[in-house]
Amino acid sequence: QVQLVESGGGLVQAGGSLRLSCAASGSFFSIGVMGWYRQAPGKQRELVATVTRAGSTNYVDSVKGRFTISRDNAKNTVYLQMNSLKPEDTAVYYCNALVVPNYIGGTENYWGQGTQVTVSS
């Protein structure tokens, strides 16, 4: 079983910054793609950013140039640096990881519990 524990959410004024962290723990062989998703009230969960084990990144257009995703493979941790925050960034942010459970292969999809980010105008 794998646990993803997020931290770093909170309340910030528009234009401010926050850094989210998500640490994976438990028993697994390796972790593939890690990412951040968000869900605002009344809206569907959407992809924010992903990063591969090799460091290749992908962002939704609305956060390009403002958010940076990174990871530390030795610590099994993914980060999301959020700058120039806007009220429309307000949402619950969820960490996601595709985990390889053992040397045989295959992947399992895990989610964190979510962390609230609120941006005031």
Side-chain angles (χ1 to χ4, degrees):
Q1 194 69 10
V2 176
Q3 295 80 42
L4 300 180
V5 178
E6 300 139 339
S7 60
L11 172 65
V12 65
Q13 288 188 331
S17 299
L18 285 174
R19 189 191 193 209
L20 305 183
S21 299
C22 172
S25 64
S27 177
F28 51 86
F29 182 71
S30 68
I31 301 178
V33 175
M34 301 185 80
W36 290 94
Y37 291 70
R38 65 186 180 187
Q39 188 167 18
K43 295 187 177 181
Q44 290 189 333
R45 190 174 298 189
E46 67 168 352
L47 171 69
V48 177
T50 61
V51 58
T52 68
R53 188 169 183 83
S56 296
T57 58
N58 179 57
Y59 298 92
V60 66
D61 285 347
S62 60
V63 308
K64 285 181 179 177
R66 301 188 297 121
F67 291 10
T68 302
I69 189 170
S70 62
R71 65 189 283 174
D72 184 332
N73 291 328
K75 296 182 178 180
N76 297 314
T77 300
V78 62
Y79 306 96
L80 186 67
Q81 178 66 44
M82 305 184 292
N83 298 329
S84 302
L85 282 161
K86 304 176 181 179
E88 50 264 43
D89 294 318
T90 295
V92 178
Y93 284 69
Y94 296 91
C95 173
N96 176 263
L98 289 179
V99 175
V100 180
N102 52 56
Y103 70 93
I104 296 175
T107 58
E108 298 175 348
N109 192 35
Y110 288 91
W111 293 92
Q113 80 284 358
T115 185
Q116 177 70 45
V117 171
T118 302
V119 184
S120 63
S121 57

